[in-house]
Amino acid sequence: MGCADGHIFVCHYYPGCPQPDRTLGHTKHRDLDFLNILLQNQIGGLQVLHDSNWVDIPPMEGALVVNIGELLQVITNDKFKAAEHRVLANCAGPRISLACFFTTHFEKSNKIFGPIKQLLSEDEPPLYRETSVKEYIDSYYSTGLLGDSSLARLRM
Ligand SMILES: O=C(O)CCC(=O)C(=O)O
Ligand SMILES: [Fe+2]
């Protein structure tokens, strides 16, 4: 389908923080991609929002974290939901993580994505209108990480 075209690697370096209760390592957000595969070192701090509670995703040796992004939520018509997540600051740093985003990000593709037709029926109509990755990225960055989800703008 082209979802894995143009993946990018991002390396995060979170230095040890003397006052971790006064800041965050990474503010809460949902990823702007289809899927993100993440490797984190032993420091910890990654949390996922589940039922209004922040849940720790502790590092496990050899384990990868697979994070669903907003574009996967669109094409699966909410069968898979993008998880809101954040990273706490930590005085024991540095924390290092390596993320591989499956997206067409750098190409800003004009290819159109929408809910996969085979997942739709009379009982399960499309929840999102179709969009290009380019339109989606521009909408996502128009509000920034703290803005309203660009998912809401696609919702029918
Ligand atoms: O550093 C982490 O564990 C998470 C980074 C992250 O959420 C992101 O790059 O989107
Ligand atoms: Fe993220």
Side-chain angles (χ1 to χ4, degrees):
M1 289 180 61
C3 305
D5 293 349
H7 59 276
I8 29 174
F9 282 97
V10 176
C11 186
H12 296 281
Y13 182 91
Y14 305 86
C17 175
Q19 295 180 297
D21 49 328
R22 302 190 69 183
T23 187
L24 282 170
H26 200 315
T27 51
K28 70 168 182 176
H29 64 284
R30 296 189 194 92
D31 289 340
L32 164 60
D33 64 347
F34 292 94
L35 204 69
N36 177 17
I37 297 183
L38 184 101
L39 179 67
Q40 53 175 332
N41 75 350
Q42 75 289 357
I43 295 294
L46 178 61
Q47 294 186 320
V48 169
L49 193 59
H50 179 67
D51 290 342
S52 306
N53 294 313
W54 286 106
V55 178
D56 289 329
I57 309 294
M60 290 170 61
E61 205 178 327
L64 298 168
V65 177
V66 178
N67 228 338
I68 289 164
E70 291 187 345
L71 285 166
L72 192 58
Q73 180 164 344
V74 170
I75 67 171
T76 63
N77 210 37
D78 275 3
K79 296 268 181 304
F80 292 137
K81 295 250 176 95
E84 202 153 25
H85 54 285
R86 68 179 184 182
V87 181
L88 299 180
N90 200 314
C91 52
R95 177 174 186 274
I96 295 169
S97 67
L98 181 63
C100 179
F101 292 92
F102 287 88
T103 175
T104 60
H105 198 140
F106 282 134
E107 293 164 19
K108 281 202 170 186
S109 166
N110 282 312
K111 186 171 173 193
I112 300 297
F113 289 95
I116 296 167
K117 302 278 181 293
Q118 289 86 339
L119 297 176
L120 305 178
S121 65
E122 231 168 81
D123 296 335
E124 298 196 64
L127 300 174
Y128 302 98
R129 65 175 177 80
E130 294 185 326
T131 183
S132 69
V133 175
K134 177 178 178 346
E135 181 198 358
Y136 201 78
I137 289 171
D138 291 344
S139 158
Y140 187 98
Y141 285 123
S142 69
T143 47
L145 286 179
L146 293 174
D148 276 344
S149 166
S150 29
L151 272 179
R153 269 173 257 149
L154 273 193
R155 197 108 190 163
M156 304 228 279

